[in-house]
Amino acid sequence: MINRRDLIKHLSTVPLLGGFLGNGTAEAAGLLAKAPVRNLAKELGIRTFINAAGTYTMMTGSLMQDDVVATIQGAAKEFMMLDEVQTKVGEKIAAITHAESAVVTAGCFSALTLGLAGVLTGMDQKKVEALPHLEGTGMKSEVIIQKGHNIGYSHALTNTGCKIIQVETVEELQKAINEKTALMWFLHIQSDKGLIKHEQWIEIAKKNGIPTMIDMAADVPPVENLWRFNDLGFDLVCVSGGKAMRGPQSAGILMGKKQYIDAARLSMPPRGSTIGRGMKVNKEEILGMYVALDNFVKMDHKKEWKIWEDRVATIENAVKSVKGVSTEVTVPELGNHTPTLKVSWDAAKISLPVKTLQENLRKGNPSIEVMPAENNSLTITTWMLKTGEEKIVASRLKEELSKAVV
Ligand SMILES: *Cc1c(COP(=O)(O)O)cnc(C)c1O
């Protein structure tokens, strides 16, 4: 054990520290016990839970990796110029993702808004300040989307003042393109819900000189998707940082052609008088996002996948033993690409509405979140579990189902 006097002696031999020994210095040297951290969940009575559901925004996305948290803590102790952080991090992210340029945004949603803002304004400062008012500015005002892709997230696009034009067929698309068309937008997670696939969408856009953007917010893994859409030729690619990549929940990435990223940054903090001033990302999140991405690209995804499968098997085997329960494991092709366990039960044999089961699991200790499906079924993913939590989920789920056997 090192005592305080030895510690001071030790530290005084470190040249940089000179004669002054502040608490911070000792702490930085990692040699003194840190002050206890407040447990705010306990203090404020906020429920924490085992997340067997998945990467849901309402459940605060994912848990940041230790490295990311350490990066945030380190960055919090120094001032830096916001633009310089973005530029340096952007270069690194761009190199990883095969993009010309990149910038960290306040989530994927703001990447959509800011990317379109960049397309609309270019480097014209007057136009930047005019958004979201397009009339009389010379800016284009329409974004073309396939009908099946038009779920709630397209609101990020109308935030710029643009109108959404929906199309279904190639013919409709050709007809919809006109001098007001600013962007052709694609939503990867719904790509099976539209007739026009990625390559054709890009091809038609290029023929007509119209930029393209893809929303792939929840589409890693597979990790290759991080560069696949840049390689394919989308001008702008938007992804969430706080889902499977386990960066800060409020971070995302806008990547693609340099001319559009440069222009998008004119609508971003620190610049005010912009539609993006409220979409601030701090230096801690920007750096944390970079570390999360870097780790994600380098990690052993096969090994990770096996862990998820083993956890699913543990839960599946436990609940299958209850009479009346059936299970199925699938992997969604689009979005949340991870082994997904569906647990269903015969209502004649097990009298348990899924809402009641959900409530019972929630109220248990530890509390558990699952995702209800139909009235007598639920889905579970294991990628957001901590080591060993699958055993708790397995036994609690089995317990609740067994209790309800009629
Ligand atoms: C989650 C999600 C978004 C929003 O991403 P944030 O990072 O939460 O801003 C946008 N589009 C799709 C398809 C998503 O799943």
Side-chain angles (χ1 to χ4, degrees):
M1 257 330 263
I2 193 164
N3 65 33
R4 190 173 171 91
R5 207 173 45 199
D6 284 347
L7 171 72
I8 291 169
K9 210 166 75 190
H10 168 75
L11 287 176
S12 65
T13 62
V14 180
L16 264 181
L17 300 179
F20 176 70
L21 173 63
N23 254 340
T25 320
E27 234 181 68
L31 295 163
L32 281 185
K34 292 208 177 96
V37 179
R38 284 167 72 176
N39 182 341
L40 271 300
K42 208 165 174 188
E43 200 176 312
L44 305 182
I46 298 167
R47 180 173 63 98
T48 60
F49 52 86
I50 293 176
N51 180 358
T55 57
Y56 290 93
T57 300
M58 65 176 165
M59 296 183 194
T60 57
S62 56
L63 298 180
M64 288 185 283
Q65 308 155 13
D66 290 345
D67 255 18
V68 174
V69 176
T71 301
I72 287 171
Q73 277 187 329
K77 295 184 197 303
E78 303 287 353
F79 284 101
M80 302 170 194
M81 284 296 184
L82 191 55
D83 268 331
E84 190 184 356
V85 181
Q86 284 286 25
T87 300
K88 297 269 163 68
V89 165
E91 283 166 5
K92 289 286 188 192
I93 294 178
I96 293 171
T97 58
H98 308 185
E100 277 180 26
S101 185
V103 68
V104 177
T105 56
C108 181
F109 197 92
S110 82
L112 304 176
T113 304
L114 293 165
L116 176 54
V119 166
L120 293 168
T121 65
M123 299 304 283
D124 185 333
Q125 189 56 36
K126 272 219 186 72
K127 288 180 178 172
V128 169
E129 286 172 34
L131 286 183
H133 304 291
L134 301 169
E135 232 175 274
T137 62
M139 282 188 272
K140 298 179 192 281
S141 57
E142 294 180 357
V143 177
I144 303 179
I145 298 182
Q146 295 187 73
K147 194 173 172 197
H149 294 204
N150 197 11
I151 59 174
Y153 295 111
S154 60
H155 205 297
L157 306 168
T158 54
N159 278 353
T160 62
C162 279
K163 233 172 48 183
I164 301 291
I165 308 296
Q166 285 191 166
V167 299
E168 282 185 88
T169 62
V170 169
E171 201 179 19
E172 281 175 29
L173 171 59
Q174 307 272 22
K175 255 200 226 135
I177 294 172
N178 67 72
E179 69 284 349
K180 286 185 282 186
T181 308
L183 182 77
M184 283 169 56
W185 187 75
F186 199 95
L187 179 58
H188 183 67
I189 201 168
Q190 294 285 104
S191 46
D192 59 338
K193 305 286 193 309
L195 292 173
I196 310 169
K197 302 305 171 203
H198 306 74
E199 289 83 356
Q200 195 178 15
W201 193 255
I202 293 169
E203 187 195 315
I204 294 171
K206 282 208 192 326
K207 237 180 237 159
N208 291 276
I210 294 165
T212 49
M213 177 193 279
I214 186 167
D215 173 344
M216 52 156 290
D219 288 289
V220 285
V223 63
E224 295 80 17
N225 275 357
L226 284 169
W227 45 88
R228 173 180 164 203
F229 302 113
N230 289 311
D231 291 346
L232 212 54
F234 280 99
D235 295 296
L236 288 166
V237 178
C238 307
V239 66
S240 287
K243 290 176 181 168
M245 278 196 278
R246 298 177 58 198
Q249 190 191 11
S250 45
I253 299 171
L254 172 67
M255 49 192 164
K257 294 275 151 33
K258 186 169 187 307
Q259 69 178 109
Y260 298 128
I261 304 291
D262 286 350
R265 286 184 61 180
L266 296 184
S267 284
M268 290 180 71
R271 285 156 286 278
S273 264
T274 61
I275 58 165
R277 181 59 182 81
M279 304 176 197
K280 183 163 56 191
V281 203
N282 61 39
K283 64 178 183 303
E284 292 83 359
E285 292 171 307
I286 298 168
L287 293 165
M289 182 67 250
Y290 166 54
V291 170
L293 172 76
D294 196 39
N295 285 351
F296 187 73
V297 169
K298 287 172 183 161
M299 72 191 265
D300 186 341
H301 290 274
K302 276 212 185 91
K303 193 169 138 196
E304 192 78 357
W305 192 273
K306 178 80 169 55
I307 293 171
W308 298 341
E309 277 183 339
D310 289 349
R311 289 173 181 167
V312 162
T314 299
I315 300 167
E316 185 180 24
N317 289 335
V319 296
K320 254 195 337 207
S321 64
V322 183
K323 239 179 101 182
V325 172
S326 57
T327 58
E328 186 192 7
V329 182
T330 55
V331 177
E333 207 43 58
L334 298 165
N336 302 308
H337 185 71
T338 185
T340 303
L341 172 66
K342 185 166 185 183
V343 180
S344 312
W345 53 97
D346 182 347
K349 292 181 181 145
I350 298 171
S351 171
L352 187 60
V354 70
K355 291 281 168 205
T356 308
L357 175 55
Q358 182 184 27
E359 216 27 58
N360 292 350
L361 292 171
R362 236 175 222 169
K363 284 192 197 132
N365 183 21
S367 181
I368 298 170
E369 284 291 333
V370 294
M371 206 27 77
E374 294 94 45
N375 194 34
N376 295 306
S377 66
L378 55 83
T379 61
I380 282 178
T381 65
T382 59
W383 56 347
M384 294 299 122
L385 295 180
K386 297 176 206 162
T387 310
E389 285 183 340
E390 71 278 7
K391 295 197 190 87
I392 303 172
V393 175
S395 73
R396 282 289 295 127
L397 201 50
K398 181 179 173 182
E399 184 186 352
E400 289 299 328
L401 287 164
S402 306
K403 271 201 309 207
V405 171
V406 290

